[in-house]
Amino acid sequence: MTHAPTSLTLHGYFRSSASYRVRIALNLKGLTYDNVEVSLIAGEQRSDAYLEQNAQGFVPMLVADGQTIIQSMAIIDWIDRACPEPRLIPEEAMPRAVALAQANVIACDIHPLNNLRVLKYLTKDLGLNEETKNRWYRHWIVEGFDALEAMAGEGSFLGGDAPGIADICLVPQIYNARRFEVDLAPYPRLSAIEAACMELEAFQRARPEAVKPG
């Protein structure tokens, strides 16, 4: 078992879905961390100093007691092992598989296709206009949410009676869906789960508006 960290620094961008996930996880664990804003708009993630620590040049990046961890799902898994309570990823084989399947509908199938660098490529390199780009964005959210709505159980959260890794992924994705005017009416279970999450301080303090610079 990894020992609980004594020093944590999260390098992220306030509106990055992946950074948002990690902020929620840290808050749910009750961990104190320093938040360092890395402006994706200004390209700070491609600076030499940042790339020395994170060769991929993405956010988030967590520095824990001087050691660097990248990729949000790996970071959350590390947090869950370093500080086991409350549990975010079930230990038992089947509940773990269910939780990771739900989470990966977003982390593997929706988010990568709607990442900022992908959207920039669609407009800058492929010449898509803003309306077409937004149709692309909404399409992949709708496809993923259709599946996730059917996969949702009966509990207050995707993770059952307490929020888990799937809920941590869901809330930032619904935030993005609203930004791009996705109709959430077909997703009553997902909407109810998001509402339950947002009643918790850990989710409230992780919101982009709560950490936005200035």
Side-chain angles (χ1 to χ4, degrees):
M1 182 67 68
T2 306
H3 71 280
T6 59
S7 173
L8 291 169
T9 301
L10 177 63
H11 299 255
Y13 181 59
F14 77 101
R15 213 157 54 193
S16 154
S17 298
S19 300
Y20 192 172
R21 294 172 199 158
V22 174
R23 293 195 301 267
I24 295 169
L26 289 166
N27 292 345
L28 284 169
K29 295 289 186 176
L31 294 171
T32 300
Y33 63 97
D34 294 321
N35 191 63
V36 176
E37 182 75 3
V38 179
S39 174
L40 302 185
I41 303 301
E44 292 176 355
Q45 76 279 15
R46 294 190 297 273
S47 70
D48 290 342
Y50 192 79
L51 290 171
E52 282 182 11
Q53 290 184 281
N54 181 351
Q56 199 174 22
F58 291 171
V59 294
M61 174 176 71
L62 184 70
V63 180
D65 292 339
Q67 293 188 293
T68 298
I69 313 166
I70 65 170
Q71 287 288 345
S72 65
M73 301 299 273
I75 293 171
I76 294 168
D77 181 67
W78 179 86
I79 291 169
D80 210 33
R81 289 177 179 272
C83 305
E85 297 300 330
R87 175 65 62 184
L88 303 178
I89 307 171
E91 289 192 280
E92 294 183 17
M94 187 54 68
R96 183 181 183 87
V98 170
L100 290 175
Q102 292 172 332
N104 284 332
V105 169
I106 294 168
C108 295
D109 296 330
I110 299 176
H111 177 246
L113 291 166
N114 286 346
N115 191 278
L116 180 61
R117 66 195 179 102
V118 171
L119 300 180
K120 284 184 175 180
Y121 182 78
L122 291 175
T123 54
K124 183 178 179 181
D125 294 82
L126 299 185
L128 271 62
N129 60 33
E130 195 71 10
E131 180 183 353
T132 305
K133 180 200 76 174
N134 290 344
R135 281 177 55 201
W136 164 282
Y137 197 104
R138 288 190 289 265
H139 172 82
W140 298 115
I141 289 180
V142 166
E143 186 171 281
F145 279 9
D146 284 348
L148 201 54
E149 178 77 10
M151 294 166 69
E154 298 300 321
S156 298
F157 303 95
L158 281 169
D161 294 327
I165 191 167
D167 308 283
I168 288 169
C169 291
L170 175 66
V171 167
Q173 195 61 64
I174 288 185
Y175 180 91
N176 288 344
R178 288 199 177 95
R179 283 185 61 219
F180 282 81
E181 300 180 342
V182 174
D183 181 11
L184 296 176
Y187 312 112
R189 284 290 297 125
L190 300 185
S191 296
I193 289 165
E194 185 222 15
C197 288
M198 294 311 300
E199 291 181 2
L200 303 177
E201 184 183 357
F203 284 84
Q204 295 168 11
R205 290 194 293 111
R207 294 176 69 246
E209 292 79 5
V211 300
K212 182 178 180 180

